[in-house]
Amino acid sequence: MQVFHTKSKVIITCNKRLSPYLLDEVKALGYTIVRDFPTGLELDITLSECIKLNLNLRCASQILYCLKSFKANNPEELYRELLEMPWEELIDFSGYFSVTSNVDNPTITTPLFANLKVKDAIVDRIKDKKGIRPNSGSDANKTVVHLYWKDGDADIFLDTSGETLAKHGYRKIPGKAPMLEALAAAVVLSSKWDQKSPFVNPMCGSGTLAIEAALIATNRRPGLFRMNYGFMHIMGYDEQVFFAERRILKDQVIKNTELQIIATDLSDDAVDISRKNAKTAGVDTLITFEVCDFADTQVPEGGRGVVIFNPEYGERLGVHSKLEATYKRMGDFMKQECKGYFGYIFTGNPDLAKKIGLKADRKVEFYNGKLDCRMLEYELYDGSRRPEEERPVKP
């Protein structure tokens, strides 16, 4: 199977509500979208073209290359269909593979059983052709096979990513309740930041928002921080394609030393973690870190920038008096210290959001894990409303 040079259906998955930002990313890379849906999009490309996508995308989770679409009403039919496929041309008999799945079939009570049938078919086929059984397990750091099975329709994919792309590889120390890197990138991209004016991130936590802002503004792609993908463990892989794409990533980095990115937190540990993560990402010199209460954050004068908070949410249905006061203080800080800026508060607690004391101009929907969240946007006028031509324009 010449998968690296044969076009097929490719599904790029993402977390819920990130698909608009993923769509923009894929289009910007020059790809034609076949269709998009709430948790991803579909392309018609070769597996070699998936390499570029894996290295470049900030908002994606997995990139799945379809090997076969077929009908299967029960586990026995699934096994027979998969047994006919030339797995010995895809997975080295001395290699290792894992199986993941998304299954909604009345004959399957647990996805683990479907995974087992896929594994058995692959192992039995390779043993029959090569006389040796490949190893298999749950680790996603080698070849990964993915089954999508709904009712009687099944697709079998090669997961060209392996470990999720939603983690960008620089955050060695996560900190307390960190925001996933893919979500942080989407939050930055959804704001009205022009990638040149000041970016202020009080309550920075482990620094993910500030780091993603620096990475985006300097065109540093996630592929710079990762050296292992699922596509590397498929037979026929040409490492020169990977290294050529990686050289492009290095060459396109923007050497921007005039960025003003400010990240503050009341916790010494949080700021220390942020600095270390930023250093791993290669952007520590572009971010000014400081330990202080958010209200003491020094906001550059002149307006035109953005200030983004990602505070604690508290319990969804219970509002705590301490957090109520914090949300009110955030509103006061934005009104008094951030005039001319666009202000943003990312929260999963609508009751606390009411305590901010400002009317949101826009509400952007996100999920943080399974929690329904909103990024609230406030245009913080300096005196009178700014003329349209003077407002920051998203690139």
Side-chain angles (χ1 to χ4, degrees), residues 88-363:
E88 69 280 3
E89 298 176 13
L90 297 167
I91 302 172
D92 193 320
F93 61 82
S94 62
Y96 175 98
F97 74 96
S98 59
V99 178
T100 60
S101 64
N102 182 349
V103 176
D104 181 10
N105 179 280
T107 67
I108 298 295
T109 56
T110 169
L112 294 177
F113 182 66
N115 293 3
L116 181 63
K117 298 304 287 187
V118 174
K119 187 203 78 170
D120 287 347
I122 294 172
V123 168
D124 291 348
R125 169 78 187 206
I126 294 176
K127 184 182 179 185
D128 179 62
K129 297 296 180 181
K130 298 294 183 179
I132 299 178
R133 298 170 61 93
N135 292 319
S136 62
S138 59
D139 292 339
N141 58 358
K142 299 291 184 181
T143 307
V144 181
V145 176
H146 180 77
L147 170 69
Y148 178 81
W149 189 12
K150 183 172 177 59
D151 298 326
D153 298 313
D155 292 305
I156 195 75
F157 296 91
L158 288 173
D159 182 344
T160 70
S161 305
E163 301 287 354
T164 181
L165 300 175
K167 296 180 180 180
H168 292 168
Y170 60 80
R171 198 166 66 184
K172 306 304 181 184
I173 312 172
K176 181 182 176 183
M179 179 181 280
L180 188 66
E181 293 95 308
L183 174 58
V187 165
V188 174
L189 292 169
S190 71
S191 75
K192 288 190 169 70
W193 187 43
D194 61 6
Q195 301 175 21
K196 297 175 183 177
S197 58
F199 182 99
V200 184
N201 179 210
M203 294 184 174
C204 68
S206 57
T208 311
L209 279 168
I211 292 169
E212 287 296 328
L215 294 172
I216 289 169
T218 56
N219 204 23
R220 287 173 165 87
R221 303 288 174 151
L224 291 170
F225 314 114
R226 181 167 167 178
M227 293 297 291
N228 184 47
Y229 295 87
F231 60 75
M232 294 178 167
H233 307 282
I234 299 166
M235 292 175 68
Y237 162 64
D238 182 359
E239 67 176 14
Q240 293 307 313
V241 177
F242 168 74
F243 285 114
E245 289 294 343
R246 204 161 185 275
R247 280 193 296 273
I248 293 172
L249 298 192
K250 292 180 178 179
D251 292 342
Q252 69 187 15
V253 171
I254 300 169
K255 303 296 192 290
N256 188 341
T257 58
E258 297 181 1
L259 277 175
Q260 282 187 292
I261 299 178
I262 298 165
T264 67
D265 201 283
L266 192 58
S267 165
D268 289 279
D269 288 343
V271 171
D272 183 55
I273 288 169
S274 296
R275 283 198 179 100
K276 289 175 179 175
N277 288 336
K279 187 172 184 179
T280 303
V283 295
D284 53 311
T285 60
L286 304 177
I287 305 173
T288 301
F289 293 102
E290 187 179 355
V291 177
C292 68
D293 182 83
F294 72 80
D296 296 323
T297 302
Q298 296 298 307
V299 179
E301 295 181 358
R304 296 183 178 275
V306 302
V307 55
I308 299 184
F309 285 88
N310 177 30
E312 291 184 38
Y313 312 153
E315 294 296 328
R316 173 86 184 182
L317 299 177
V319 179
H320 303 297
S321 57
K322 184 178 178 182
L323 281 177
E324 283 185 6
T326 298
Y327 274 64
K328 182 182 183 302
R329 288 179 63 222
M330 286 191 294
D332 292 342
F333 171 77
M334 290 195 298
K335 281 186 290 188
Q336 296 163 10
E337 305 297 333
C338 306
K339 293 176 181 178
Y341 276 62
F342 278 94
Y344 297 91
I345 295 180
F346 186 101
T347 182
N349 193 318
D351 294 323
L352 285 173
K354 296 174 184 175
K355 306 299 179 181
I356 296 167
L358 293 169
K359 180 174 170 45
D361 296 292
R362 185 168 66 112
K363 298 178 181 180

